[in-house]
Amino acid sequence: MKFIPVYKPDLSGNELKYVTDCIESEWISSLGEYVGRFERDFASLCEVEHAISLANGTVALHLALLLFGIGPGDEVIVPSLTFVATANAVRYVGAEPVFVDLDPQTWTLDINKTEQKITSRTRAVIPVHLYGHPVDMDPLSEVANEHGLHIIEDAAEAHGAKYKDRVVGGLGDVGCFSFYGNKTITTGEGGMLTTNDDQLAEKARFLKDHGMDKERHYWHTEVGYNYRMTNLQAAVGLAQVERFDRIFARKRELAVMYHEKLIDCPGIELQPEAHWAKSSFWMNSIILTEDYPLSRDAMRESLLEQGIDTRPFFIPMHQLPPYLDSNPDFPISDRLSERGLNIPSYPTLKDVEISRICGAIMELSGE
Ligand SMILES: Cc1ncc(COP(=O)(O)O)c(C=O)c1O
């Protein structure tokens, strides 16, 4: 029985050719033609003016917060259900993440609850396009404008997803992407910061390279960072972007197939997609309701015994030791986290494998 992982990258295009070119040409660090080519193609994919390549998605978030001078005494609004990097980046600059529950219709930031958490210290909000589904950005932008907040999109999981025909990553002040091995576009490890603002782009390029003066070598006017991406990583990224449309389309096809096969499965709730959204379905997700005969973790074990790997949802931030909340009120995040399961979602997953996965889920339901 063939093992089906939750994710694996599709590296079947020009990845090897471009990486070989880096090795043969000896351009393996952050100077080299692939960095600029990948940045240009990624900017065009996101329909933004600037894409600045970085070492990973976490440092993209860190840099974004630095760009707005956010620091000690400031508050930043973050959804309670996300990957921990979103909250950690806020702490890196000495600010405090303030958590907000999710909207049950989209599994992303609840905009009304966001407004209730704004104080005189709030400086920014980080909408996370969780599992590839965009946040309802228009009402969020209205709230942010009214209160003078910066919007930093965490689009780590949502490459190419659309909000009302606009691509994520260009909907706030800056966008942050991850290219970790399980992301829709991968470079192994890697990240990108996107923006339409020339000054922010220039500042990001300055800070990611140790704050070095553009004209004068080794003249550093500020404490900067080494957050650069290598030419090797960018070579993989460029080959990935070249095939982005196909990868994205296949991932949406997987979502349609899962939906068709599981829609009538008792005790299973499927991932929503709002009418205004085009999700990237980075992960296909199911929720095991109270009617499902097994707990989420028992189901994970049974699927694993049948050679099918899965992942539980993230644990909400307010339950993690660095961010513990003594009086938590995040019922949607808690429910999703307790009952949510990510099922295999990689672009080379075959139709017969989806049938096998759905058959196993149906059988365990007692149907
Ligand atoms: C929502 C979210 N934000 C940030 C990150 C951090 O990205 P990276 O792992 O590239 O540092 C990730 C992913 O891994 C993520 O899923």
Side-chain angles (χ1 to χ4, degrees), residues 36-202:
R37 288 175 67 189
F38 179 38
E39 288 180 340
R40 277 190 294 280
D41 280 11
F42 196 77
S44 131
L45 191 161
C46 297
E47 298 171 2
V48 292
E49 291 294 321
H50 308 278
I52 296 117
S53 60
L54 297 166
N56 57 61
T58 306
V59 301
L61 289 162
H62 183 202
L63 213 52
L65 292 155
L66 290 169
L67 290 178
F68 301 117
I70 292 169
D74 295 334
E75 291 176 353
V76 176
I77 290 180
V78 169
S80 49
L81 194 67
T82 180
F83 181 59
V84 71
T86 322
N88 283 352
V90 177
R91 281 275 177 88
Y92 294 167
V93 297
E96 216 28 58
V98 172
F99 299 113
V100 170
D101 205 5
L102 304 189
D103 173 352
Q105 304 304 320
T106 63
W107 299 358
T108 63
L109 200 64
D110 183 315
I111 314 298
N112 290 328
K113 288 183 181 160
T114 296
E115 195 160 20
Q116 290 160 17
K117 293 270 179 108
I118 294 172
T119 71
S120 57
R121 292 162 61 187
T122 313
R123 298 280 316 283
V125 54
I126 309 185
V128 178
H129 306 304
L130 194 73
Y131 300 134
H133 192 292
V135 174
D136 195 358
M137 292 300 289
D138 283 349
L140 181 68
S141 300
E142 257 177 54
V143 170
N145 283 341
E146 201 178 308
H147 296 270
L149 309 183
H150 301 290
I151 298 184
I152 298 167
E153 289 180 82
D154 185 339
E157 305 176 355
H159 310 179
K162 285 187 176 167
Y163 175 70
K164 299 182 180 173
D165 284 333
R166 285 141 58 204
V167 192
V168 303
L171 308 176
D173 296 300
V174 297
C176 300
F177 289 86
S178 166
F179 303 126
Y180 183 68
N182 64 7
K183 296 301 188 291
T184 308
I185 285 179
T186 183
T187 60
E189 295 277 359
M192 196 76 86
L193 189 140
T194 51
T195 184
N196 286 310
D197 185 308
D198 298 348
Q199 281 175 350
L200 290 178
E202 193 170 330

Side-chain angles (χ1 to χ4, degrees), residues 170-338:
L171 308 176
D173 296 300
V174 297
C176 300
F177 289 86
S178 166
F179 303 126
Y180 183 68
N182 64 7
K183 296 301 188 291
T184 308
I185 285 179
T186 183
T187 60
E189 295 277 359
M192 196 76 86
L193 189 140
T194 51
T195 184
N196 286 310
D197 185 308
D198 298 348
Q199 281 175 350
L200 290 178
E202 193 170 330
K203 183 92 198 260
R205 288 197 184 283
F206 167 78
L207 285 176
K208 80 172 230 191
D209 193 18
H210 284 298
M212 190 163 74
D213 193 281
K214 267 200 307 198
E215 311 297 331
R216 191 175 170 198
H217 244 97
Y218 306 125
W219 182 247
H220 304 271
T221 50
E222 263 182 58
V223 176
Y225 304 82
N226 176 359
Y227 282 174
R228 301 181 301 254
M229 173 182 277
T230 66
N231 203 38
L232 285 162
Q233 291 167 294
V236 176
L238 180 68
Q240 292 267 292
V241 177
E242 286 173 350
R243 282 178 304 120
F244 179 76
D245 288 349
R246 242 185 300 157
I247 294 174
F248 186 84
R250 178 61 185 159
K251 285 178 68 75
R252 285 192 55 88
E253 254 173 39
L254 303 182
V256 169
M257 274 189 271
Y258 274 129
H259 197 89
E260 282 171 4
K261 291 184 189 302
L262 292 176
I263 185 82
D264 295 324
C265 183
I268 296 286
E269 260 175 39
L270 292 161
Q271 199 167 10
E273 184 176 37
H275 64 90
W276 41 256
K278 188 167 188 184
S279 173
S280 65
F281 287 104
W282 170 54
M283 284 289 165
N284 283 281
S285 315
I286 55 175
I287 303 294
L288 275 65
T289 70
E290 292 73 359
D291 298 332
Y292 200 81
L294 292 181
S295 73
R296 190 266 315 273
D297 293 341
M299 185 204 216
R300 277 198 79 199
E301 264 176 49
S302 298
L303 289 175
L304 196 57
E305 278 164 17
Q306 299 180 55
I308 299 165
D309 204 10
T310 57
R311 286 287 177 283
F313 273 27
F314 297 129
I315 297 173
M317 298 303 103
H318 62 270
Q319 294 182 23
L320 300 178
Y323 302 110
L324 267 189
D325 188 329
S326 53
N327 191 20
D329 183 19
F330 306 95
I332 308 300
S333 302
D334 288 338
R335 177 173 186 269
L336 291 174
S337 169
E338 201 182 305

Side-chain angles (χ1 to χ4, degrees), residues 28-42:
I28 56 170
S29 297
S30 56
L31 295 175
E33 62 162 314
Y34 288 107
V35 176
R37 288 175 67 189
F38 179 38
E39 288 180 340
R40 277 190 294 280
D41 280 11
F42 196 77

